[in-house]
């Protein structure tokens, strides 16, 4: 089948296996070229391992730390003329390459919030690995089915008052104003249920109870803070409330479960989930321009490499700020970067969008998420969309 991108809003409904595989190989090559972390983990569970930061964490765990990795994903394989999701192709690619390189890599495909997936993961750990020494929690989900059958849906809204600011329309490459309405109490509660720390703690608790996690293990979950222009939408919005809960949960995991838990505050990057947030994509497009010009731009793999090698497993103590958070957004938040971003934010319009932002870079990253616009790939070639994953367990 000849596979082309089909974009609907902020999602692409097709994905290209060869493009995904080339990008996985690029990430592996990057990690292999870097110095190794010290006292790195050897048995790593990654929740949300098929895309974005979780995928990059898995690649760094395997190729920088030499770790066996067990991934949990929520993806779809190809069906007839429908391609698989890019997360499926990423995972297939990673497992093919990792197996050829002699690494243990298995994946469980199912809803990470469910007890069934937790049970399957624990059985796999006990059978194959004994115990894990690191758990990466990198889920970005739109909804969560709770144990009692209640479905919670997360929303990307403000808290308190509505907020109007500039936004980008990536279809027409124009800048316009959008107003984001405040969430109801119920929507805030639901967003915290989905994206807060409750499920993270349930995972660590279940692993502890089953004796499937080392006492000195490390667990990390990802967060974002960003500059004040995005605060009404993010830090002070519904997702920010969930991230506040995540931070509080890290303390509960340390105090109640005795496992070292960290929040890593990462850089804003184009991923499937960040492209769904109103206003933020325009900020990211400007940020890309400013950071690329300064030479400090990083993608998911560079961020995750730095997390492991410089912040967590650097041979000394874990580097955290006064709130016990790891700051991988240190380069993004540098005053000169933020000053320039704000200057451009204030003047950007549909007329000067190419001068004031890296909209082309944003779009390339967006298409790359689905394996498109990858250098060296022939997109007119007929390819087999049915790619199986040998070691996958579908729940
Ligand atoms: P992403 O959309 O690229 O990846 C999310 C992953 O979660 C995918 O592998 C997906 O399959 C998996 N997933 C979703 N629902 C699932 C479920 N029910 N069961 C199992 N797996 C499921 O997201 P991302 O941007 O890499 O985000 C990961 C984390 O990093 C989130 O906590 C996010 O808030 C945080 N973060 C993102 C950014 C950013 O700019 N992208 C910045 C800082 C922090």
């Amino acid at each position: 089948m000849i596979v082309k991108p089909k974009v609907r809003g902020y999602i692409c409904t097709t994905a290209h296996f060869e493009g995904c595989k080339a990008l996985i190989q690029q990430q592996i090559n990057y990690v292999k070229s870097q110095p190794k972390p010290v006292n790195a983990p050897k048995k790593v569970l990654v929740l949300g391992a098929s895309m974005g930061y979780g995928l990059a964490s898995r690649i760094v765990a395997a190729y920088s730390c030499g770790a066996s990795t067990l991934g949990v994903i929520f993806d779809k394989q190809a069906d007839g003329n429908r391609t698989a999701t890019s997360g499926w192709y990423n995972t297939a690619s990673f497992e093919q390459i990792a197996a050829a390189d002699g690494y243990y890599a298995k994946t469980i495909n199912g809803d990470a919030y469910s007890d069934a997936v937790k049970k399957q993961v624990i059985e796999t750990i006990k059978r194959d690995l004994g115990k894990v020494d690191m758990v990466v929690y990198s889920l970005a989900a739109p909804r969560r089915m709770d144990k009692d059958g209640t479905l919670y849906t997360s929303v990307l809204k403000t808290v308190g008052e509505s907020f109007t600011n500039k936004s980008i329309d990536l279809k027409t490459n124009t800048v316009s104003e959008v107003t984001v309405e405040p969430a109801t109490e119920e929507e805030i509660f639901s967003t915290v249920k989905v994206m807060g720390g409750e499920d993270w703690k349930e995972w660590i608790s279940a692993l502890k109870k089953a004796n499937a996690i080392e006492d000195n293990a490390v667990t990390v979950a990802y967060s974002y803070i960003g500059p004040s222009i995005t605060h009404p939408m993010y830090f002070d919005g519904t997702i920010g409330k969930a991230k506040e809960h995540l931070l509080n949960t890290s303390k509960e995991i340390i105090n109640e479960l005795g496992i070292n838990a960290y929040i890593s505050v990462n850089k804003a990057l184009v991923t499937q989930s960040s492209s769904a947030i109103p206003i933020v994509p325009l900020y990211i497009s400007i940020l890309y321009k400013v950071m690329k010009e300064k030479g400090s731009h990083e993608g998911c793999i560079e961020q995750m490499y730095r997390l492991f090698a410089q912040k967590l497993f650097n041979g000394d103590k874990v580097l955290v700020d006064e709130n016990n958070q790891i700051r991988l957004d240190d380069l993004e938040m540098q005053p000169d970067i933020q000053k320039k971003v704000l200057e451009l934010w204030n003047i950007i319009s549909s007329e000067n969008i190419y001068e004031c932002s890296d909209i082309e870079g944003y779009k390339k990253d967006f298409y790359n998420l689905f394996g498109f616009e990858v250098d060296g790939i022939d997109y007119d070639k007929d390819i087999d969309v049915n790619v199986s994953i040998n070691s996958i367990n579908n729940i």
Side-chain angles (χ1 to χ4, degrees), residues 46-56 72-75 85 87-88 90-91 108-114 117 137-145 194-195 199 203 221-225 234 239 243 246 264-275 277 280 284 300 303-304 329 332 369:
V46 182
L47 304 162
S50 68
M51 299 280 282
Y53 278 121
L55 171 65
V72 177
I73 67 171
F74 202 28
D75 282 279
T85 56
W88 179 276
N90 287 337
T91 304
I108 288 164
N109 185 30
D111 183 358
Y113 294 112
S114 71
V117 166
Y137 191 85
S138 188
L139 297 186
R143 59 191 74 84
R144 168 183 176 188
M145 178 71 80
V194 180
M195 289 297 289
D199 181 62
W203 267 102
Y222 300 140
S223 187
Y224 183 66
I225 294 177
Y234 198 103
I239 183 73
K243 294 301 182 190
L246 199 67
S264 173
V265 181
N266 301 343
K267 177 189 179 189
L269 279 174
V270 182
T271 65
Q272 205 165 4
S273 40
S274 70
S275 37
I277 309 174
V280 169
I284 293 180
C300 288
Q303 280 265 294
M304 291 301 96
D329 64 343
E332 171 182 353
L369 294 176

Side-chain angles (χ1 to χ4, degrees), residues 9-39:
Y10 47 80
I11 181 131
C12 181
T13 58
T14 52
H16 198 281
F17 174 61
E18 290 190 1
C20 290
K21 189 164 182 181
L23 291 173
I24 296 285
Q25 188 65 60
Q26 276 178 26
Q27 295 191 57
I28 290 174
N29 293 347
Y30 169 77
V31 162
K32 280 166 81 174
S33 73
Q34 300 299 314
K36 304 275 178 248
V38 183
N39 298 329

Side-chain angles (χ1 to χ4, degrees), residues 143-164:
R143 59 191 74 84
R144 168 183 176 188
M145 178 71 80
D146 212 354
K147 289 185 206 339
D148 63 3
T150 313
L151 184 67
Y152 294 98
T153 303
S154 70
V155 299
L156 294 159
K157 290 190 176 179
T158 59
V159 169
E161 288 169 17
S162 64
F163 175 62
T164 302

Side-chain angles (χ1 to χ4, degrees), residues 117-177:
V117 166
K118 291 188 175 74
K119 188 167 167 276
Q120 192 61 52
V121 165
I122 286 168
E123 276 172 27
T124 309
I125 292 172
K126 306 263 313 170
R127 188 185 61 232
D128 296 356
L129 304 169
K131 294 179 183 185
V132 287
D133 53 5
M134 182 172 191
V135 179
V136 174
Y137 191 85
S138 188
L139 297 186
R143 59 191 74 84
R144 168 183 176 188
M145 178 71 80
D146 212 354
K147 289 185 206 339
D148 63 3
T150 313
L151 184 67
Y152 294 98
T153 303
S154 70
V155 299
L156 294 159
K157 290 190 176 179
T158 59
V159 169
E161 288 169 17
S162 64
F163 175 62
T164 302
N165 211 325
K166 292 177 183 175
S167 194
I168 195 168
D169 182 338
L170 291 161
K171 215 168 165 186
T172 55
N173 296 350
T174 51
V175 177
S176 56
E177 284 215 326

